[in-house]
Amino acid sequence: MNEKHMRTRLVHAGENELAKKIASSVSVPKVLPIYMSSVFSFDDVPSLDAVYAGDASGYVYSRMTNPSTDAVEEILAAAEGADGALVFASGMAAIVTSIIANVKSGDHVVSSPVLYGGVYDYFKHELPRFGVEVTFVDFEDMDALKAAIRPNTKVVYTETISNPLMEVLNLPEIAKVAHAHGCKFIVDNTFATPAVAQPLKMGADIVVYSTTKYLGGHSDLIGGAILSNAENINEMHRYFTLYGAIMGPFEAWLLARSLRTLDLRMKQHSENALKVAQFLEKHPKVERVYYPGLDSSPYKALTKEMFVEGRCGGMLSADIVNGEAGASTLIKECSTIKFVPSLAGVSTTISYPAKTSHRAYSPEDMKAAGISMGQLRFSIGLEEADDIIAELEKALEKV
Ligand code: PLP
């Protein structure tokens, strides 16, 4: 009897044949499947050589590319009209890769000072360990920006809408300055998303995202992305592979599903956030509201030039009276609005920058950046705006 043992049959039955049968089917899945395969098999050596040479399409190893990550990269690139995209295991992995690919020991980076705390920590404490110096300068002051750039400056870095003060920077102007000095201009567009602003069209060379936030949008995945031209993507793909930073196939599938509704979600987040900002602005227990869509915002005119009409995203911050005591009471008195140190899900949440995302700032740096102990950051969700406002009104009574 020639038949193999059951254990062997279980290991091999249907292996390559099944995948080839599916690939040659005349029908295709309506939704892309999740390719949970760490590696791909070849019938012979010439097939592998052809894939490495770029003469045949195929996958080798999922730390380099995987059909699920490829698919979501295509959707992301299409959203912003980029040549290409790379998806990462986290926003930090995407940001660090975008920097590592563009600096070496002895180089210099110029960054705006109001940043996501993790990126600030990386710039302030980690990059110097590798001989890369970072200068923080107010990007609203073009002369200060020009003065900060040195012959060895390679990267100019900022966020489209800053975290947590919701400042909007003039990206086309900053891009001009960066390019005049031969620097790459990298923009974190996490708070805006391509449904609000598209920095590549305003002169950015590389756009980075924490896809954990709006692009994922449902608080169920950690991920990051980079969008850029073909040359930059090829260069960054080398570091992406070397540092093992790729997003997993399941997260890629979740992200692809979420991106289908990004535009609709951002429209609703923006409409709700404007209504909540207008309510908070008039409330006696609120000292100041930071939302670029408010008529009173110093950034309103800039949003009209740079953002999709009527949209400023779902993020806003507010200074609550009585400092830490006021902020803590508001958090405690909310019911459906949870205290969550992240953002951009379907439900409205509150975060406390001084205690969470910006904990890495020293008290002096925090003060200089305009972050106070009474400041809360709101991620306005997709509920009815009236319900969000009613809950905040009730909680503010107790402050
Ligand atoms: N950029 C911004 C603006 C963020 O808010 C965050 C996280 O909160 C990051 C980057 C880092 O992303 P991740 O947590 O996915 O690594």
Side-chain angles (χ1 to χ4, degrees), residues 55-385:
D55 296 333
S57 76
Y59 295 89
V60 179
Y61 186 54
S62 288
R63 178 161 50 76
M64 303 167 177
T65 45
N66 167 284
S68 296
T69 57
D70 248 10
V72 76
E73 285 168 355
E74 207 165 295
I75 301 169
L76 274 170
E80 218 156 318
D83 286 353
L86 295 170
V87 286
F88 292 79
S90 71
M92 283 306 296
I95 292 164
V96 168
T97 303
S98 76
I99 300 292
I100 281 178
N102 288 290
V103 296
K104 61 180 183 332
S105 178
D107 286 343
H108 177 241
V109 172
V110 175
S111 169
S112 62
V114 189
L115 295 173
Y116 167 63
V119 177
Y120 181 80
D121 194 9
Y122 174 67
F123 283 172
K124 183 121 181 161
H125 304 117
E126 191 64 7
L127 269 183
R129 288 204 312 127
F130 298 91
V132 178
E133 236 190 297
V134 183
T135 302
F136 295 98
V137 65
D138 180 2
F139 280 16
E140 287 187 274
D141 181 347
M142 285 299 151
D143 291 333
L145 170 59
K146 283 178 200 159
I149 295 179
R150 306 174 190 165
N152 61 340
T153 307
K154 294 289 157 47
V155 168
V156 171
Y157 184 95
T158 192
E159 297 175 358
T160 310
I161 303 176
S162 77
N163 179 12
L165 297 180
M166 313 305 155
E167 295 157 326
V168 179
L169 291 168
N170 192 328
L171 299 185
E173 286 299 310
I174 300 167
K176 271 189 223 150
V177 175
H179 294 154
H181 294 83
C183 303
K184 290 247 169 82
F185 182 31
I186 304 181
V187 177
D188 181 338
N189 199 39
T190 297
F191 275 28
T193 82
V196 172
Q198 304 203 343
L200 290 177
K201 299 197 174 106
M202 293 184 255
D205 299 292
I206 297 168
V207 174
V208 291
Y209 288 103
S210 166
T211 63
T212 313
K213 310 297 167 359
Y214 286 116
L215 302 191
H218 295 74
S219 311
D220 52 12
L221 69 92
I222 296 278
I226 285 179
L227 275 65
S228 193
N229 64 26
E231 193 187 337
N232 289 334
I233 290 291
N234 280 343
E235 177 67 9
M236 288 185 287
H237 190 265
R238 174 177 149 70
Y239 298 93
F240 166 87
T241 304
L242 270 179
Y243 287 93
I246 196 168
M247 177 180 274
F250 181 54
E251 282 75 13
W253 182 87
L254 275 176
L255 180 58
R257 189 193 56 165
S258 294
L259 287 171
R260 304 296 186 198
T261 57
L262 176 70
D263 195 60
L264 289 172
R265 287 186 284 111
M266 291 314 294
K267 180 173 182 290
Q268 193 64 39
H269 282 299
S270 299
E271 287 173 12
N272 281 0
L274 179 60
K275 288 183 187 162
V276 174
Q278 286 167 337
F279 157 75
L280 290 174
E281 196 178 31
K282 291 198 201 90
H283 201 286
K285 303 272 178 71
V286 178
E287 287 169 353
R288 183 166 170 192
V289 178
Y290 306 81
Y291 186 66
L294 283 172
D295 287 338
S296 59
S297 166
Y299 306 108
K300 174 84 182 183
L302 211 46
T303 66
K304 290 202 156 176
E305 281 172 37
M306 290 179 18
F307 290 1
V308 171
E309 202 184 339
R311 295 186 186 181
C312 288
M315 299 303 302
L316 63 93
S317 290
D319 294 337
I320 310 301
V321 296
N322 299 335
E324 183 167 348
S328 299
T329 305
L330 181 63
I331 287 171
K332 196 160 84 45
E333 293 298 328
C334 283
S335 50
T336 71
I337 302 175
K338 302 290 183 220
F339 176 35
V340 171
S342 188
L343 59 122
V346 294
S347 58
T348 299
T349 56
I350 306 182
S351 156
Y352 197 164
K355 298 268 183 188
T356 59
S357 55
H358 291 71
R359 246 194 141 93
Y361 279 55
S362 67
E364 301 76 49
D365 288 353
M366 213 183 281
K367 197 161 174 237
I371 299 163
S372 72
M373 293 311 291
Q375 198 172 82
L376 293 179
R377 192 189 71 191
F378 297 81
S379 171
I380 305 301
L382 302 178
E383 305 94 334
E384 275 296 328

